[in-house]
Amino acid sequence: KQEVTQIPAALSVPEGENLVLNCSFTDSAIYNLQWFRQDPGKGLTSLLLIQSSQREQTSGRLNASLDKSSGRSTLYIAASQPGDSATYLCAVRNSGYALNFGKGTSLLVTP
Amino acid sequence: DAGVIQSPRHEVTEMGQEVTLRCKPISGHDYLFWYRQTMMRGLELLIYFNNNVPIDDSGMPEDRFSAKMPNASFSTLKIQPSEPRDSAVYFCASSLFIQENQPQHFGDGTRLSIL
């Protein structure tokens, strides 16, 4: 069974810092990996999706990388802003259609 | 375009009552997923449909839970009878095909409290 772990569970940084969120998974036979953002009381917003054949994806200040062989993905946020404060979830899809989620990293960016 | 629409947003009811959660997927999406989120277990898939047909319900916790998709634009998740341990946020998601580059799009969820 795929296990997805996210470290750290919580992170607080001052505005303007660059930061890295980590995601690890136990089964490297994945179809894709998706990073989501969840604001309090809201649903999940898809940020980036990396296919199994890709190494990274970029969107604005966000960059996600994938290393299947080591079972790791990172989400890099450049020049963090208070509006980036949210919970970030990593989800892995294997041969089935279910997404296996990590517990998330709760990010607080202070002004 | 409208996203995935879930109703109600909040539901508070007493133990033993029937609860029905509703979902309207994004138009044209042919996969629909129901997830449950709790503090202890995080997000877990309950069941998913392809072209209105249930494909995998192995995540449904027990017989008290049932899900239907009578047409391409509507699905329900029903709990009968409800128990306090069913309290959670229930999310519906939809996807266009199941290929490597298709993300799942989530609704805002239904926050369910069973007293």
Side-chain angles (χ1 to χ4, degrees):
Chain A
K1 182 181 182 295
Q2 178 74 273
E3 300 287 340
V4 181
T5 303
Q6 291 187 245
I7 294 173
L11 181 63
S12 180
V13 300
E15 181 177 7
E17 276 203 7
N18 302 323
L19 59 99
V20 175
L21 307 181
N22 296 292
C23 173
S24 62
F25 46 93
T26 54
D27 183 352
S28 61
I30 68 172
Y31 270 27
N32 62 43
L33 183 146
Q34 213 169 334
W35 282 94
F36 291 89
R37 168 183 173 141
Q38 185 174 25
D39 293 285
K42 294 289 189 179
L44 281 66
T45 301
S46 180
L47 297 174
L48 292 164
L49 182 148
I50 310 177
Q51 299 176 49
S52 61
S53 58
Q54 297 175 325
R55 293 297 297 252
E56 66 177 344
Q57 281 286 338
T58 298
S59 175
R61 295 183 293 109
L62 304 180
N63 176 276
S65 67
L66 174 64
D67 184 343
K68 277 201 316 178
S69 61
S70 65
R72 294 179 189 276
S73 175
T74 62
L75 179 66
Y76 175 83
I77 302 177
S80 58
Q81 303 171 358
D84 295 330
S85 299
T87 297
Y88 291 81
L89 292 156
C90 166
V92 173
R93 187 196 150 201
N94 288 97
S95 58
Y97 302 120
L99 288 179
N100 296 285
F101 282 86
K103 294 283 182 68
T105 294
S106 178
L107 173 66
L108 177 64
V109 181
T110 56
Chain B
D1 285 342
V4 176
I5 300 172
Q6 292 186 244
S7 64
R9 288 298 313 279
H10 303 273
E11 175 87 12
V12 180
T13 192
E14 291 189 347
M15 183 175 69
Q17 296 298 307
E18 178 179 289
V19 173
T20 300
L21 311 181
R22 297 173 177 80
C23 175
K24 176 179 170 58
I26 294 173
S27 178
H29 283 192
D30 52 0
Y31 282 84
L32 183 140
F33 306 82
W34 282 100
Y35 290 88
R36 179 170 67 175
Q37 185 177 37
T38 62
M39 289 293 292
M40 288 293 295
R41 300 174 68 90
L43 267 157
E44 300 174 296
L45 179 71
L46 300 177
I47 185 171
Y48 77 90
F49 295 82
N50 174 219
N51 291 324
N52 313 338
V53 177
I55 303 300
D56 184 355
D57 65 355
S58 59
M60 296 285 263
E62 47 197 278
D63 292 345
R64 297 185 297 106
F65 286 69
S66 63
K68 294 182 180 179
M69 193 165 185
N71 57 61
S73 59
F74 184 66
S75 177
T76 60
L77 178 66
K78 188 171 293 188
I79 308 172
Q80 167 62 21
S82 58
E83 297 182 3
R85 60 192 168 122
D86 302 330
S87 298
V89 182
Y90 291 80
F91 288 103
C92 177
S94 69
S95 176
L96 181 62
F97 310 123
I98 291 293
Q99 297 176 0
E100 284 191 39
N101 61 343
Q102 295 298 326
Q104 293 185 19
H105 300 267
F106 283 71
D108 282 343
T110 294
R111 186 172 297 275
L112 178 63
S113 297
I114 308 297
L115 306 176

